[in-house]
Amino acid sequence: NHADAYTLFESLNNRGTPLTAVDLIKNLLLARLDLRGDGDINYYFSRWKEVLDNLGDDYATQERFFRQNYNAFRRSVNEPFVKDDRRYPLGIVATRSTLLDIYEKIVDNEPKAFLDEISENSEIYSAIILRKGDALSPELKDRYLDLQRVQGVPAYLLLLYLHKNHDALNIGETEIASINRLLVSFFVRRNLTDVPPTRDLTRLFMSFIEEIEQNDYTGAAILEKLRDKIVSQSASDTVFEEKLR
């Protein structure tokens, strides 16, 4: 059956070119779905192809999406696995080295629910990276293009979270466009001053998502609190001016 085929493929591949983490997640997903008999495996394979089509052919983008997807929604993703006082049993943060281990556990738990979730989130991400942004307003497209130009990729995990939960957070495209303008300003300053350092950017946006969830921020409060957060982490005007000069 398909599950045996995927197992054989992985075994043979251990003696050849290493598979990517995304390849291995796909193989595990299709094997688990096939074993459970949840439907035509070709249907699930076509849905996986749609996920990758949303992300494009660049492996770096695909891997980044899976990391940022976990980091954006880690609280809800971890809920089925919490058994003691550890809030994030799957991992505090998804990195290149922990990515596969995290997603293996998620897929093993509920493969069909995982595919449904990853399909929806990859479609949102596709709009953020302007691969498939036809539904976006012209203003928001411009803001996302600006964010790309100032190398604001680490903020995509926050934008993914905001888009996914826009109804509950009471924000629309106008509010998200304002957040983007703030993020562009932040990254211009950050890239000139190197404050905060690159290694801290992912955790900066993850911690803000945690603040949103803990304090039930909605609407205009999200922009206000985000501004406070990133200003507190940014270089002063004096340092910024010095670097500009």
Side-chain angles (χ1 to χ4, degrees):
N1 60 25
H2 286 89
D4 291 338
Y6 294 128
T7 302
L8 175 62
F9 176 63
E10 289 183 36
S11 299
L12 291 173
N13 196 76
N14 285 336
R15 296 166 175 80
T17 303
L19 291 174
T20 66
V22 175
D23 287 331
L24 291 167
I25 292 168
K26 175 199 72 175
N27 291 342
L28 179 65
L29 171 66
L30 296 179
R32 293 297 177 269
L33 288 168
D34 191 47
L35 283 172
R36 292 188 179 210
D38 285 337
D40 182 5
I41 198 67
N42 292 317
Y43 163 73
Y44 293 119
F45 180 67
S46 67
R47 290 192 61 193
W48 178 264
K49 287 177 65 178
E50 289 173 3
V51 170
L52 296 190
D53 185 54
N54 288 335
L55 303 174
D57 295 330
D58 179 38
Y59 175 71
T61 301
Q62 296 174 6
E63 183 199 77
R64 186 184 70 219
F65 162 72
F66 280 92
R67 283 189 281 112
Q68 292 190 321
N69 179 74
Y70 175 79
N71 293 335
F73 304 110
R74 62 175 178 164
R75 187 178 76 166
S76 58
V77 170
N78 275 273
E79 282 176 356
F81 301 92
V82 174
K83 295 179 181 178
D84 49 35
D85 58 351
R86 288 194 306 158
R87 297 179 61 190
Y88 305 115
L90 294 177
I92 300 298
V93 58
T95 63
R96 288 183 177 90
S97 60
T98 63
L99 185 67
L100 184 57
D101 185 56
I102 288 171
Y103 277 98
E104 279 182 341
K105 293 181 177 68
I106 297 171
V107 171
D108 270 335
N109 186 51
E110 284 291 345
K112 190 173 182 299
F114 163 74
L115 182 57
D116 290 341
E117 188 77 5
I118 215 71
S119 296
E120 179 182 353
N121 294 354
S122 68
E123 191 169 347
I124 296 171
Y125 201 81
S126 182
I128 293 171
I129 64 176
L130 296 177
R131 178 168 171 80
K132 295 182 178 180
D134 294 341
L136 297 177
S137 67
E139 181 188 11
L140 194 50
K141 283 184 180 179
D142 288 343
R143 299 291 78 77
Y144 282 149
L145 186 57
D146 286 343
L147 195 60
Q148 284 186 8
R149 287 168 172 159
V150 298
Q151 302 170 10
V153 169
Y156 289 175
L157 73 93
L158 172 61
L159 295 169
L160 176 60
Y161 177 86
L162 295 178
H163 273 287
K164 178 72 176 284
N165 298 294
H166 66 94
D167 283 338
L169 298 174
N170 192 29
I171 57 173
E173 285 203 357
T174 301
E175 289 77 18
I176 293 177
S178 297
I179 288 169
N180 265 274
R181 283 195 293 272
L182 176 64
L183 290 170
V184 168
S185 297
F186 166 71
F187 276 100
V188 168
R189 182 178 295 237
R190 195 229 76 83
N191 292 341
L192 278 167
T193 63
D194 200 29
V195 178
T198 302
R199 65 178 179 274
D200 293 343
L201 292 173
T202 292
R203 291 182 184 271
L204 170 66
F205 294 112
M206 290 174 67
S207 68
F208 184 65
I209 290 173
E210 197 169 64
E211 286 182 28
I212 292 175
E213 294 174 337
Q214 289 177 345
N215 299 289
D216 296 323
Y217 295 152
T218 59
I222 294 175
L223 176 61
E224 177 187 348
K225 298 299 183 180
L226 177 61
R227 180 183 288 109
D228 292 343
K229 178 87 171 179
I230 62 179
V231 166
S232 71
Q233 301 292 315
S234 297
S236 66
D237 288 350
T238 302
V239 173
F240 185 39
E241 181 179 357
E242 178 186 335
K243 295 295 184 180
L244 281 171
R245 291 186 182 279

